[in-house]
Amino acid sequence: MRNSLRVLRAERRWSQAELADRLGVSRQTINAIETGRYDPSLPLAFAIGRLVGQPVERIFFDDDDGGSRTP
Amino acid sequence: MRALHSRQEARVLKLDSSARSSLAGVVWFAVAALASVVGSALGRLAGAHTMDPAFPARLLGTCMLASFVVAGSSIWRMVRCRADSWLLPLAALNLALLEPGRAGDATTWRAEWAVGGVAATAAAVALFGRLLARTDELQRRIYIDGAALGLLMALPLAMAYALFESWLPELRAQWVTISLLLLWWAGWLLTSFRYRYGTTP
């Protein structure tokens, strides 16, 4: 599973710590999600979607999608 | 998609340093460990001379309590630094220090030592459980994966002990608990390292 969280975060000028605070998780969690080492739970994925104003499927996508959904 | 190479964005993308927090956690762990060692040493000394009226056992007992208060407040600071994983080796150390067998032959002092050990462990377990309930999903997963890895590492140790039992000292229940705590911590370190620096799946 890949995601565009790093790009979305950078567009909003948020640091990892700032995003982590907004989501109520640790910075390590944000880092692990961004680097693809950890796939978040559905509630966290939806919380991320709500926060950045994007549907979940535009933030997280399967490797087979070839990155075509990157905003 | 916009290019992400401007200086401002590079600053935003840069990993936030948590090194200061980690270092503070290690420092508070060291203070708590040292205070625990000093406290237990003073307690043992006071207990060994409890019948000697010339020995300042009461003074040493007070110093022991003060050391444990320092250890307790250091633990609190450690948790505030989010260095909660250090509670595992600290609990193992305190279990080893407060082993009733270390308290000498006085039955009363042995009982007090045992109660102290159980109370300290119970407090650590309660604090750890509360922290675990408040951590986020990845942290909780790291602890659970770490516990599983620790149990896995305990298997070859148990087999090795069974093989070399006649050459090794007699196994004590307290040592098993200490080993499990340390193995859990080792598992936590390995799992945490994997999520931080491991290869991307």
Side-chain angles (χ1 to χ4, degrees):
Chain A
M1 186 84 81
R2 293 191 298 140
N3 65 77
S4 55
L5 185 60
R6 193 177 168 89
V7 175
L8 293 166
R9 176 173 66 79
E11 283 174 355
R12 284 155 184 78
R13 306 275 195 275
W14 291 339
S15 65
Q16 284 187 342
E18 212 174 332
L19 178 59
D21 279 347
R22 285 168 190 262
L23 290 167
V25 296
S26 66
R27 193 195 60 76
Q28 189 186 3
T29 303
I30 299 299
N31 187 40
I33 293 171
E34 284 188 358
T35 50
R37 292 190 186 100
Y38 175 65
D39 294 329
S41 66
L42 272 176
L44 181 56
F46 278 110
I48 292 170
R50 271 196 303 275
L51 189 68
V52 298
Q54 299 263 4
V56 174
E57 63 271 22
R58 287 204 63 184
I59 306 169
F60 299 94
F61 38 88
D62 198 56
D63 287 332
D64 295 340
D65 288 358
S68 58
R69 295 192 182 185
T70 307
Chain B
M1 190 178 72
R2 294 188 298 113
L4 296 173
H5 300 297
S6 72
R7 184 174 292 181
Q8 194 175 14
E9 284 179 345
R11 183 186 61 78
V12 172
L13 282 172
K14 193 179 165 191
L15 293 182
D16 309 272
S17 173
S18 56
R20 188 182 292 178
S21 169
S22 303
L23 184 67
V26 174
V27 168
W28 286 118
F29 165 77
V31 173
L34 188 67
S36 301
V37 170
V38 169
S40 68
L42 289 172
R44 274 207 307 278
L45 203 60
H49 296 87
T50 189
M51 296 303 200
D52 183 0
F55 196 80
R58 186 167 291 204
L59 176 68
L60 286 182
T62 311
C63 291
M64 176 194 78
L65 285 177
S67 295
F68 285 143
V69 168
V70 170
S73 59
S74 303
I75 290 170
W76 180 248
R77 299 297 295 263
M78 204 170 82
V79 170
R80 298 263 305 189
C81 295
R82 293 190 171 203
D84 37 285
S85 67
W86 287 95
L87 279 172
L88 293 171
L90 196 65
L93 174 73
N94 275 294
L95 265 176
L97 290 173
L98 296 171
E99 198 181 353
R102 287 172 167 270
D105 295 329
T107 314
T108 325
W109 197 235
R110 282 172 80 100
E112 284 175 23
W113 213 246
V115 169
V118 170
T121 311
V125 167
L127 185 62
F128 194 71
R130 204 173 155 191
L131 283 167
L132 206 59
R134 282 170 47 193
T135 53
D136 70 24
E137 55 184 54
L138 178 61
Q139 303 295 327
R140 204 172 301 143
R141 185 169 168 168
I142 289 173
Y143 274 115
I144 292 166
D145 286 2
L149 203 58
L151 283 176
L152 209 64
M153 287 190 277
L155 287 176
L157 288 181
M159 284 169 70
Y161 185 83
L163 280 174
F164 304 107
E165 198 173 3
S166 48
W167 292 288
L168 293 170
E170 195 182 337
L171 196 61
R172 302 170 72 155
Q174 205 137 353
W175 295 357
V176 176
T177 318
I178 290 167
S179 306
L180 285 175
L181 282 169
L182 290 176
L183 287 172
W184 187 4
W185 187 57
W188 179 89
L189 280 176
L190 287 171
T191 314
S192 186
F193 190 82
R194 183 164 66 85
Y195 277 112
R196 197 166 294 183
Y197 306 111
T199 51
T200 308

